[in-house]
Amino acid sequence: MDLLVDEERANELKRGSRDWPSWDLTPRQLCDVELLLGGGFSPLRGFLGRDDYAGVCERMRLADDTLWPIPITLDVPDDVAGRLEVGGRLALRDAEGVMLAVLHVEEVYRPDRMAEAQAVYGTTDRTHPGVAHLLDDTHPNYVGGRLEGIHLPVHYDFPPLRRTPAQLRAEFVELGWRHVVAFQTRNPMHRAHQELTLRAAKEAEANLLVHPVTGVTKPGDVDHYTRVRCYQALMPRYPRYTALLSLLPLAMRMAGPREAVWHAIIRKNYGCTHFIVGRDHAGPGADGNGIPFYGPYDAQALLRKHEAELGVQMVPFRMMVYLQDQDQYVPEDEVPEGSRVASISGTELRRRLADGRELPEWFTFPEVARELRRSHPARAKQGFTVFFTGLSGSGKSTIANALMVKLLEMGGRPVTLLDGDLVRKHLSSELGFSKEHRDLNIHRIGFVAAEITKNGGIALCAPIAPYAAVRRDVRAMVSRGGGFTLVHVATPLEVCEQRDRKGLYAKARAGIIKEFTGISDPYEEPEDAEVVIDTTTTSPDEAAQEIILYLERQGYIGMTNG
Ligand code: PPS
């Protein structure tokens, strides 16, 4: 299928679109539209209507019996569904409002998403990311209908590596590749993957297509920019002219066995004759009780049943393990008895990356490790936030200032101080001290701190931040891009009030200032602070030193800094 129309028809559709309802596609829907328009989802010509949808859920087949394992549906909210008419059109636009395609509305229906989850994923457990997305993040109406494509979504990254199915098929012809084995991946490729793909190509007597997913993968995966640089670094490890790297803008569902069948169909559309299925293909991992959603070789079993009908040959693989004495990777069922084997799990790898620890050469090629390290620098090079919380007059600003000076003296990273008073002047001047306003104020501080941290700087924040929930939000926001340390300046209220540097406590007691923290407004003591300081007994210098020592122990400052 090629659903893109010619220029004349595209202009006609653009003119007509003035009177049609519009829908801005979500990132996942954008991926689906790209694969539909380019023919990656052939033989589909659009989003599934009710009969096809029911067939796919119940028996993995479209209404006309064609094998198709994953529902490709367009979900929209009630207000959009309410404006649709059967026989009408819906303009599908990207995030900037550019019309990519027109949907000829054939059906609008409300799916039973619980039943869909059970049928497609075999579970309604929300720890499965595909199920969580379906039940919590999809709109309640599906719109079925044929698509006319105006143009494909635009990608500004890695243009030479992006090919439509037709382009890739033409390239195989030009290269004289008659047999092509595709390798699907959503992770960086290490030595085990390289060995596996090389063996697969030899076994199938085929050339190799490294075909990583760059659309939507599992939450928490290494970002696709880093991964693609890793694949580019790895490609010269294959014998010359035998392997090709191309990107697949797919939104994965993590549906294990059904997804393996789907992946094989997609690769056939891209011109491949063989498809590698390893251990736990497209598996979402384990549920809340540690039990895997799918058996390690369920995907191989399901594809095995359908490969003849599909006309794609599966190349099954066991897990690859490292033989220490031979310095070699072999499938786990070929390990000679008594040999010493080694492996690093995905979790362990993520931990090593986060901690800035070494990735051994037996595990990954140094050129790949270098790319991973560039986007996951050692802690001493990552940004971090130190977030102070405590009553007014507890000493937050004084300690934050002392800490800032010490960090500037050390050098190496830019430091920004987001002091309570400063923030209220520049970022939150319109806000008061209601819970709602305080939360908004802390969210703003958190947003700025997260940006600074993500970009490798140090943010020191010193608001009162009396509410635990919003402090937790900030921790989560900042931690995505670097370190977060909560410092509770726990100077008791009596001491703060006795000092009353700004005369505010006297005013609060007299009722002149309302909603004053500790007097007429709550302060929720943190239970998750990494450092607790009481300035009754600790000087600002000692307090700053204590935080420096903590940061050193955590690896954020140290020998490699500066
Ligand atoms: S919050 O709750 O985190 O949004 O507060 P913050 O932005 O840190 O602002 C606290 C400073 O504002 C002054 N101030 C008050 N504090 C608490 N309650 C009330 N009602 C209030 N009104 C004014 C006070 O000087 C705080 O500064 P610090 O440095 O904490 O003493």
Side-chain angles (χ1 to χ4, degrees):
M1 291 296 158
D2 177 355
L3 306 182
L4 290 165
V5 299
D6 63 22
E7 205 181 320
E8 201 182 321
R9 177 68 179 152
N11 287 333
E12 197 182 316
L13 292 172
K14 276 187 212 158
R15 279 194 299 276
S17 71
R18 206 194 53 185
D19 305 319
W20 304 334
S22 270
W23 170 246
D24 292 347
L25 296 159
T26 64
R28 280 174 180 258
Q29 294 171 344
L30 267 173
C31 291
D32 285 357
V33 164
E34 181 163 5
L35 280 157
L36 281 166
L37 297 187
F41 284 167
S42 295
L44 303 191
R45 297 170 149 270
F47 288 103
L48 299 189
R50 207 189 309 247
D51 287 350
D52 283 332
Y53 168 71
V56 168
C57 289
E58 284 158 24
R59 41 186 201 104
M60 273 189 22
R61 290 185 184 273
L62 301 172
D64 70 2
D65 244 20
T66 307
L67 188 66
W68 190 273
I70 299 284
I72 307 299
T73 50
L74 182 73
D75 59 298
V76 296
D78 289 337
D79 60 322
V80 176
R83 283 186 281 132
L84 298 179
E85 279 168 31
V86 171
R89 322 279 171 94
L90 174 63
L92 301 182
R93 301 179 185 277
D94 69 12
E96 266 138 49
V98 177
M99 183 165 69
L100 301 179
V102 175
L103 178 70
H104 295 263
V105 180
E106 286 156 26
E107 268 174 295
V108 184
Y109 56 105
R110 287 177 89 83
D112 178 345
R113 285 178 289 178
M114 276 293 190
E116 179 182 336
Q118 190 61 47
V120 176
Y121 299 103
T123 174
T124 52
D125 183 340
R126 283 179 162 84
T127 43
H128 187 303
V131 174
H133 175 78
L134 175 64
L135 298 183
D136 300 332
D137 299 325
T138 55
H139 301 105
N141 310 280
Y142 286 174
V143 193
R146 181 172 68 81
L147 281 181
E148 280 189 282
I150 294 165
H151 57 76
L152 292 171
V154 181
H155 295 284
Y156 296 105
D157 54 337
F158 308 111
L161 300 180
R162 295 188 181 269
R163 301 173 185 87
T164 62
Q167 286 167 340
L168 199 54
R169 289 195 305 266
E171 192 155 341
F172 292 157
V173 171
E174 209 168 294
L175 291 165
W177 290 10
R178 290 184 44 248
H179 294 127
V180 182
V181 58
F183 180 64
Q184 138 80 31
T185 182
R186 44 167 261 267
N187 287 310
M189 287 173 70
H190 305 295
R191 272 188 65 183
H193 305 101
Q194 198 262 352
E195 179 61 33
L196 182 153
T197 47
L198 210 55
R199 280 173 178 246
K202 273 188 202 146
E203 259 174 44
E205 295 179 19
N207 287 95
L208 174 70
L209 173 68
V210 176
H211 209 199
V213 172
T214 52
V216 179
T217 63
K218 195 176 155 191
D221 282 347
V222 174
D223 68 276
H224 84 265
Y225 301 102
T226 304
R227 285 192 289 117
V228 176
R229 290 196 302 271
C230 289
Y231 307 134
Q232 286 176 311
L234 177 86
M235 290 312 285
R237 292 274 176 174
Y238 291 103
R240 273 188 130 199
Y241 311 123
T242 64
L244 186 72
L245 170 65
S246 199
L247 310 184
L248 180 66
L250 177 72
M252 288 183 71
R253 272 49 168 190
M254 309 308 298
R258 277 193 181 225
E259 181 130 352
V261 174
W262 189 43
H263 286 175
I265 298 172
I266 295 167
R267 272 36 182 245
K268 184 181 181 186
N269 287 329
Y270 277 88
C272 302
T273 51
H274 294 70
F275 183 58
I276 300 171
V277 180
R279 188 182 184 280
D280 198 22
H281 188 97
D287 66 14
N289 301 319
I291 300 165
F293 284 105
Y294 312 115
Y297 298 103
D298 287 1
Q300 292 183 358
L302 190 67
L303 183 55
R304 181 61 86 210
K305 267 204 233 161
H306 298 289
E307 61 178 344
E309 180 179 352
L310 288 179
V312 181
Q313 217 173 311
M314 176 172 69
V315 185
F317 259 92
R318 309 288 293 193
M319 196 168 89
M320 302 292 286
V321 290
Y322 180 68
L323 295 183
Q324 283 176 324
D325 299 326
Q326 279 96 322
D327 180 27
Q328 207 196 354
Y329 277 88
V330 293
E332 63 183 350
D333 53 347
E334 287 176 27
V335 174
E337 210 162 304
S339 17
R340 292 193 304 155
V341 298
S343 65
I344 292 182
S345 70
T347 317
E348 168 66 9
L349 176 68
R350 272 190 289 277
R351 201 172 301 141
R352 280 181 188 237
L353 281 176
D355 298 352
R357 278 186 293 145
E358 184 224 4
L359 301 177
E361 262 194 56
W362 66 261
F363 178 72
T364 197
F365 294 115
E367 56 272 33
V368 174
R370 212 172 299 130
E371 281 305 330
L372 285 171
R373 204 29 87 217
R374 268 178 67 202
S375 30
H376 299 80
R379 278 199 174 167
K381 291 209 169 104
Q382 286 175 23
F384 64 85
T385 288
V386 180
F387 192 100
F388 293 87
T389 173
L391 297 171
S392 171
S394 59
K396 303 180 299 283
S397 306
T398 317
I399 302 171
N401 268 293
L403 179 62
M404 177 173 74
V405 169
K406 283 178 190 289
L407 291 168
L408 287 171
E409 184 188 333
M410 284 178 190
R413 276 176 288 213
V415 188
T416 300
L417 177 60
L418 297 163
D419 193 22
D421 286 336
L422 260 174
V423 168
R424 288 223 166 236
K425 186 165 165 213
H426 295 291
L427 274 184
S428 294
S429 56
E430 86 285 20
L431 299 185
F433 289 89
S434 64
K435 174 166 192 308
E436 192 192 358
H437 277 193
R438 289 183 196 255
D439 281 354
L440 193 54
N441 181 40
I442 301 307
H443 264 295
R444 288 178 187 173
I445 296 174
F447 172 76
V448 176
E451 286 295 307
I452 292 170
T453 301
K454 182 178 84 185
N455 291 316
I458 299 174
L460 308 179
C461 313
I464 297 179
Y467 297 110
V470 69
R471 291 193 302 253
R472 269 198 302 276
D473 284 353
V474 172
R475 179 190 288 274
M477 239 184 329
V478 172
S479 302
R480 281 198 279 272
F484 181 88
T485 302
L486 185 67
V487 178
H488 180 200
V489 184
T491 312
L493 178 66
E494 307 79 69
V495 179
C496 299
E497 188 168 1
Q498 203 179 6
R499 289 182 190 157
D500 203 10
R501 290 227 178 80
K502 300 180 185 168
L504 295 174
Y505 282 95
K507 286 189 181 160
R509 287 282 182 205
I512 301 165
I513 303 180
K514 309 269 183 272
E515 299 177 309
F516 195 81
T517 307
I519 305 296
S520 44
D521 221 45
Y523 179 80
E524 297 172 4
E525 302 259 329
E527 286 169 2
D528 57 342
E530 278 79 11
V531 182
V532 180
I533 289 160
D534 179 349
T535 60
T536 324
T537 48
T538 315
S539 74
D541 193 63
E542 286 166 347
Q545 200 54 43
E546 198 176 315
I547 299 165
I548 296 264
L549 287 175
Y550 174 80
L551 293 168
E552 249 172 21
R553 280 199 303 277
Q554 294 300 308
Y556 286 107
I557 47 186
M559 300 304 284
T560 46
N561 191 42

